[in-house]
Amino acid sequence: MSIRIEDLVYRYPNGALALDRVSVTIEPGERVAIVGSNGAGKSTFARHLIGITRPTSGSVWLDDWNTADHSVAELARKVGYVFQNPDDQLHARSVAAEVRFGPRNLGFSPERTAELTAWAMEATGLTQLATAHPHHLSLGDRKRVTLASVLAMDSAVVVLDEPTTGQDHKSVETIGRLISELSTGGKTVFAITHDMDFCAENFDRVLVMAEGRIRVDMPTDDWLRADQDFDRYGLQLPQITRLAHGLGWPESVATVGRFMERLPGHTGATPPDS
């Protein structure tokens, strides 16, 4: 499903300008990171995709749907949104019930609902927690529950708001793998993130927002190589890039894989787990 945003403006009720003439087109299957400092407009921009926030002017199109003409419930069939704070999203008394709620609410058959629920829980490593109460889990586990609940809805677009918060290394790798699988399957994935390492490893395109506008829109690798804009937008280079700079390497590298490829004497073997 393609996404087309045209001259999007949003003002808060007090008149403050949050989004200022934002225009962008996203093609099916793209992996897009939305980055910028706090208050840049990232979450406000993303919430327009599911209709939680409505344009003051301009338009948001999901294929031939103008979001202004559809309810949040209707848009949820096309866009799944994983909130930054999982407690804003959780409501059921067990993990399984939470994950099952979405597909059942969308009217999927009992068989399809069971299939999607089982897949989403296995994909996020929650199968063993099926009977646990979500609010009794850690922050990282609660975020994985909300991720599973959105995956089970089988939406064409998935929006992740700060997905790595509270996650250990293994869980971050799991989320990265899921993003790759969703993209390969033709689904579009957005992530609002301050985690530049996660951005570099998992996203092909980056939108840098500041003062309610998209200031940079380019392939992630190209942007990371042209790293002079980072301080300007309150961002920090990925750790591996800073390490390469510290070693005096003339060219920036942004991922562990590329760092290892360029390491003198590297034979192509995967480094051992630490």
Side-chain angles (χ1 to χ4, degrees), residues 108-209:
F108 291 172
S109 69
E111 294 77 16
R112 181 63 174 154
T113 295
E115 178 186 19
L116 286 168
T117 299
W119 167 75
M121 291 178 61
E122 181 178 0
T124 53
L126 294 170
T127 303
Q128 301 302 317
L129 296 174
T131 61
H133 195 299
H135 287 289
H136 296 166
L137 302 176
S138 68
L139 172 62
D141 285 343
R142 296 199 306 276
K143 285 184 74 74
R144 286 192 291 132
V145 174
T146 57
L147 173 57
S149 68
V150 166
L151 293 178
M153 295 169 69
D154 199 25
S155 307
V157 178
V158 176
V159 182
L160 310 172
D161 197 341
E162 298 293 353
T164 61
T165 300
Q167 303 292 342
D168 60 20
H169 178 69
K170 182 178 179 181
S171 295
V172 171
E173 286 190 330
T174 295
I175 295 169
R177 174 180 52 77
L178 285 169
I179 290 169
S180 178
E181 291 175 0
L182 291 170
S183 175
T184 300
K187 297 180 185 294
T188 304
V189 184
F190 288 91
I192 303 163
T193 184
H194 287 90
D195 187 338
M196 292 298 101
D197 300 276
F198 182 72
C199 171
E201 292 282 354
N202 296 290
F203 293 89
D204 306 314
R205 181 177 176 184
V206 64
L207 306 180
V208 183
M209 297 195 67

Side-chain angles (χ1 to χ4, degrees), residues 8 12 18-19 22 33-49 81 84 159-162 190-196 207-214 233-235:
L8 177 62
Y12 292 114
L19 295 176
V22 172
I34 307 171
V35 305
S37 61
N38 291 333
K42 304 184 299 297
S43 293
T44 303
F45 167 79
R47 287 174 181 169
H48 277 80
L49 298 175
Y81 198 112
Q84 180 177 0
V159 182
L160 310 172
D161 197 341
E162 298 293 353
F190 288 91
I192 303 163
T193 184
H194 287 90
D195 187 338
M196 292 298 101
L207 306 180
V208 183
M209 297 195 67
E211 299 177 335
R213 304 188 73 178
I214 295 176
Y233 297 117
L235 301 170

Side-chain angles (χ1 to χ4, degrees), residues 4-150:
R4 190 172 78 256
I5 297 172
E6 300 175 341
D7 293 323
L8 177 62
V9 174
Y10 180 74
R11 289 186 180 274
Y12 292 114
N14 65 4
L17 185 64
L19 295 176
D20 183 14
R21 294 167 294 162
V22 172
S23 296
V24 67
T25 298
I26 309 294
E27 298 301 332
E30 286 200 75
R31 299 180 294 172
V32 183
I34 307 171
V35 305
S37 61
N38 291 333
K42 304 184 299 297
S43 293
T44 303
F45 167 79
R47 287 174 181 169
H48 277 80
L49 298 175
I50 198 170
I52 298 172
T53 305
R54 301 287 180 163
T56 301
S57 64
S59 57
V60 179
W61 293 85
L62 307 176
D63 280 343
D64 58 352
W65 277 26
N66 185 332
T67 59
D69 299 331
H70 297 274
S71 67
V72 173
E74 290 174 316
L75 294 171
R77 295 179 177 274
K78 294 180 176 286
V79 180
Y81 198 112
V82 182
F83 287 83
Q84 180 177 0
N85 182 356
D87 296 335
D88 292 339
Q89 208 161 349
L90 298 170
H91 67 279
R93 295 185 177 182
S94 74
V95 169
E98 187 74 49
V99 178
R100 185 167 55 242
F101 176 82
R104 186 173 63 183
N105 196 49
L106 292 176
F108 291 172
S109 69
E111 294 77 16
R112 181 63 174 154
T113 295
E115 178 186 19
L116 286 168
T117 299
W119 167 75
M121 291 178 61
E122 181 178 0
T124 53
L126 294 170
T127 303
Q128 301 302 317
L129 296 174
T131 61
H133 195 299
H135 287 289
H136 296 166
L137 302 176
S138 68
L139 172 62
D141 285 343
R142 296 199 306 276
K143 285 184 74 74
R144 286 192 291 132
V145 174
T146 57
L147 173 57
S149 68
V150 166

